[in-house]
Amino acid sequence: MKLLRTIRLDASDSFVFEKPAEPGEWAVSGAFAFAQGDPASLKGKARTAFRAGFLGLESLGRSTLAQIVETNEKDRHSLVELLAAQLVKCFGAPDLAVARLAAEEETSFVASLCDHPPGVLIAVTRTHENGTIREVFRTLRPREGAGHTRAFEFLEVVGEDDVPSEHLDLAALQKGVRR
């Protein structure tokens, strides 16, 4: 069984997200966090979190990348219970029974993204189209023998053609400039 954990290859998550996830947290897509609002009205760091952030379950922070990891049924159960608790505490689920059903579904979705070897990184791009949140996931594979030591040492990107063209100025975000 494989699931996702947050990973931080450089410091960029620290300044592009209001609350960055800690490395190694269980990760889910987290699009549900934007379901009650109007994603089109988001600005700045909230907009960046919508467009390209996985949700770290312990901190409820965001991570640009998630890494596929080998796991077991005990870990999967822990992830479901943690997510269910967060859904009740922070996202308005009426009770743990309802939240567990939603958490099971979200966890199964995450597992479906992990049809690649452990260590492969996953990135998400979200858009809001006709009242629907659309997600496109890409895999990032390290250059042969490189490992995940630097953010820009990737050879292959799968799914790049499906990503809308959009410019994100990281330097401006760090300085607090919104474009």
Side-chain angles (χ1 to χ4, degrees), residues 58-73:
E58 288 85 2
S59 67
L60 296 181
R62 293 288 169 165
S63 178
T64 303
L65 298 171
Q67 184 175 35
I68 297 173
V69 296
E70 290 278 355
T71 190
N72 56 44
E73 191 57 42

Side-chain angles (χ1 to χ4, degrees), residues 10-43:
D10 60 23
S12 63
D13 284 356
S14 310
F15 61 86
V16 298
F17 297 127
E18 190 68 41
K19 183 174 189 176
E22 291 299 318
E25 293 183 47
W26 289 117
V28 295
S29 158
F32 60 81
F34 302 100
Q36 299 303 315
D38 177 16
S41 68
L42 296 173
K43 304 282 186 231

Side-chain angles (χ1 to χ4, degrees), residues 1 3-4 26-28 32 57-58 71-89 93 95-111:
M1 172 179 306
L3 294 170
L4 296 175
W26 289 117
V28 295
F32 60 81
L57 292 185
E58 288 85 2
T71 190
N72 56 44
E73 191 57 42
K74 182 180 175 187
D75 287 340
R76 184 186 190 287
H77 178 75
S78 295
L79 186 153
V80 169
E81 290 301 310
L82 176 59
L83 179 53
Q86 294 287 39
L87 289 172
V88 170
K89 181 180 175 186
D95 58 49
L96 272 176
V98 171
R100 273 190 199 99
L101 293 173
E104 282 285 351
E105 187 175 319
E106 186 77 6
T107 302
S108 293
F109 176 69
V110 164

Side-chain angles (χ1 to χ4, degrees), residues 115-143:
D115 192 23
H116 303 281
V120 169
L121 302 181
I122 307 288
V124 61
T125 301
R126 271 186 214 93
T127 57
H128 187 247
E129 302 168 1
N130 303 319
T132 302
I133 295 174
R134 180 176 179 256
E135 294 180 301
V136 176
F137 296 89
R138 300 179 320 259
T139 59
L140 304 167
R141 300 171 190 273
R143 291 180 188 199

